[in-house]
Amino acid sequence: MQKFQVDKNGFYGEFGGAYVPEILYKSVHDLQDAYLPIVESEEFKAEYRALLKDYVGRPSPLYYARRMSERYGCRLYLKREDLNHTGAHKINNTIGQILLARKMGKTRIIAETGAGQHGVATATVCALMGMKCEVFMGATDVERQHTNVERMRMLGAEVHPVRTGNMTLSDACSEAIRDWCCHPRDTFYIVGSTMGPHPYPDLVARMQSVISEEIKWQLEEKIGRDYPDYLVACIGGGSNAAGTIYHYASDERVKIVLAEAGGHGYETDHTAATLHRGSVGILHGAKMLVMQDDDGQIEEAFTISAGLDYPGVGPMHCHMARQGRSQVLSINDDEAIYGGYELTRLEGIIPAIESAHAVAALSKLTFKPDDVVVLTVSGRGDKDIKTYLDNKQMAKEYGDF
Ligand SMILES: *Cc1c(COP(=O)(O)O)cnc(C)c1O
């Protein structure tokens, strides 16, 4: 286990750390000192577990997908994070962080959001706890993801459109960090993925690790052994993937396959395939693989999937990929669209377009008939119906539906 865990300085191999402006030193150090004693305390665990059970609806089912299994010649199980309250895995993390914020005596919550999923999950737990919530969101995304903006506003959050840079997720992160610099005392920044300065990548991975904790006992119950041959997940910043693999990171019997967003192809300029294309750089407080030009200017990420639209990727995943522990596949927009339709037509489950990238990865793997494959469906596709319908043509070459 130790090999892929964060070290005491906040690094995973050469990646990670906490590169923050001086004004945030104290806030970040306070958080580094506070998080482990709190999240490992019995009191925190009891509250966190109770909310996951009764509010989020956990455990999420591990579902044997019979028709998809026949199609791919393996035994495929779906980890159904799409059935969580608010429709994705993100709520596992926001519940944990808001409990931590309360224990640290913070009164104001800020968050960044891209597609709006993390913003909604944060606004939701703020309503639940009666805390003030402000969400930074790129102005472009505010336009594109209007329903989620309305959900956040209904939940009582204030949404700040960010008009710098490309006006998307990366700019929203920068703006949230800027706000945190101005209000270091009372404000807790709820980060949405396994990114940001240490301890966020470790904190978020721990909060999502409930996914693999459940996979273990659910597999034991269903097949009489507590590990699969393959784990498959999509990867943006890396939080649903981190949760899926957490308890198997050093278990060499388990192959790890991650699907990142290829966009038009990782070899083109329209891609978000950071693990294929990135080089070492510092973004939003951590050293990681970043898509950047020769001068270190961050390049815009491109993908049909707003939730994977980030030019960096969490340090834990950079390390695991570089060590060869995970196999990373780049899945293009058209392949993801097809994957989404395939799961819908074979199992009656409409996945989020992000999760559809993981589904599409199955066609690039070769299985033996008794291989057990667990694939995390990170979210539900309600938010993506228009994207699927508008882009159906794109997937025609892969089959009829
Ligand atoms: C946000 C999101 C992702 C990508 O984020 P990770 O931190 O990489 O998990 C994937 N799937 C869904 C449904 C999302 O909302």
Side-chain angles (χ1 to χ4, degrees):
M1 181 62 94
Q2 219 46 36
K3 219 166 102 189
F4 297 108
Q5 291 288 343
V6 74
D7 70 22
K8 64 179 193 319
N9 299 315
F11 282 88
Y12 300 83
E14 68 171 300
F15 301 102
Y19 300 84
V20 294
E22 202 173 325
I23 192 160
L24 281 181
Y25 279 6
K26 185 171 174 343
S27 300
V28 168
H29 279 284
D30 287 349
L31 185 59
Q32 288 172 358
D33 293 341
Y35 86 110
L36 281 181
I38 292 175
V39 303
E40 286 178 346
S41 71
E42 289 309 317
E43 192 189 325
F44 176 93
K45 282 191 209 163
E47 265 183 279
Y48 177 61
R49 295 287 143 160
L51 284 171
L52 288 185
K53 178 165 179 285
D54 296 329
Y55 188 72
V56 176
R58 303 202 71 91
S60 67
L62 185 69
Y63 164 71
Y64 176 65
R66 184 180 58 81
R67 297 185 67 203
M68 284 287 283
S69 294
E70 280 167 14
R71 166 96 194 220
Y72 287 105
C74 65
R75 291 192 282 164
L76 177 69
Y77 290 86
L78 303 177
K79 183 60 173 159
R80 301 288 309 275
E81 295 301 302
D82 56 313
L83 295 177
N84 293 340
H85 179 45
T86 69
H89 64 293
K90 293 216 167 68
I91 191 108
N92 303 327
N93 171 46
T94 57
I95 293 256
Q97 286 197 50
I98 202 152
L99 289 175
L100 176 58
R102 272 208 325 194
K103 298 256 184 285
M104 291 180 70
K106 304 291 182 181
T107 53
R108 175 176 175 264
I109 299 295
I110 58 168
E112 86 294 342
T113 197
Q117 294 299 105
H118 175 58
V120 168
T122 304
T124 298
V125 297
C126 286
L128 177 68
M129 300 293 173
M131 282 169 86
K132 190 168 160 45
C133 180
E134 295 183 40
V135 179
F136 297 90
M137 184 171 189
T140 310
D141 291 331
V142 170
E143 296 278 315
R144 289 194 292 195
Q145 310 288 336
H146 209 68
T147 315
N148 276 340
V149 175
E150 282 161 355
R151 283 167 87 191
M152 287 184 266
R153 289 188 173 139
M154 178 155 179
L155 287 158
E158 203 175 318
V159 179
H160 300 291
V162 176
R163 297 183 200 285
T164 52
N166 300 310
M167 304 193 252
T168 56
L169 174 59
S170 188
D171 312 296
C173 292
S174 305
E175 199 56 36
I177 294 173
R178 227 167 274 141
D179 177 284
W180 194 19
C181 289
C182 300
H183 308 92
R185 242 173 241 280
D186 64 338
T187 296
F188 190 98
Y189 178 13
I190 297 190
V191 172
S193 189
T194 42
M195 43 159 288
H198 175 64
Y200 282 109
D202 183 48
L203 172 60
V204 176
R206 282 169 186 265
M207 296 302 108
Q208 294 293 358
S209 70
V210 63
I211 299 173
S212 51
E213 189 184 306
E214 290 173 2
I215 292 172
K216 279 195 123 165
W217 63 256
Q218 289 172 320
L219 276 181
E220 180 72 52
E221 238 175 55
K222 287 184 196 300
I223 64 167
R225 72 172 216 222
D226 71 355
Y227 66 95
D229 298 293
Y230 289 84
L231 286 168
V232 184
C234 67
I235 179 166
S239 70
N240 89 88
T244 302
I245 68 181
Y246 194 87
H247 292 285
Y248 299 107
S250 291
D251 186 340
E252 300 286 344
R253 296 170 301 185
V254 182
K255 298 180 192 71
I256 295 171
V257 178
L258 303 178
E260 62 177 356
H264 291 174
Y266 70 85
E267 65 291 329
T268 71
D269 288 338
H270 290 83
T271 186
T274 318
L275 289 163
H276 279 79
R277 278 287 291 272
S279 53
V280 179
I282 291 171
L283 182 62
H284 301 133
K287 193 182 275 188
M288 54 177 148
L289 293 171
V290 182
M291 297 203 302
Q292 54 190 334
D293 66 17
D294 293 341
D295 299 326
Q297 288 295 319
I298 304 305
E299 287 175 339
E300 192 176 6
F302 181 94
T303 152
I304 199 165
S305 152
L308 303 177
D309 202 351
Y310 184 63
V313 59
M316 169 186 166
H317 293 292
C318 296
H319 181 52
M320 290 179 83
R322 281 277 165 101
Q323 297 294 308
R325 178 65 186 98
S326 56
Q327 179 187 359
V328 182
L329 300 173
S330 170
I331 302 297
N332 296 349
D333 290 349
D334 53 353
E335 297 170 311
I337 293 283
Y338 183 74
Y341 272 97
E342 188 176 61
L343 189 66
T344 302
R345 296 296 172 87
L346 289 181
E347 300 289 347
I349 296 170
I350 304 178
I353 184 71
E354 292 83 9
S355 320
H357 286 71
V359 176
L362 294 173
S363 66
K364 308 207 172 215
L365 300 168
T366 318
F367 299 114
K368 297 193 290 292
D370 55 2
D371 277 341
V372 173
V373 180
V374 173
L375 183 151
T376 296
V377 182
S378 54
R380 68 176 82 124
D382 305 31
K383 65 184 178 58
D384 300 313
I385 304 300
K386 191 170 175 338
T387 305
Y388 282 126
L389 292 175
D390 287 353
N391 294 285
K392 188 173 173 185
Q393 238 11 67
M394 189 193 263
K396 271 283 185 250
E397 66 171 285
Y398 298 102
D400 259 342
F401 44 77

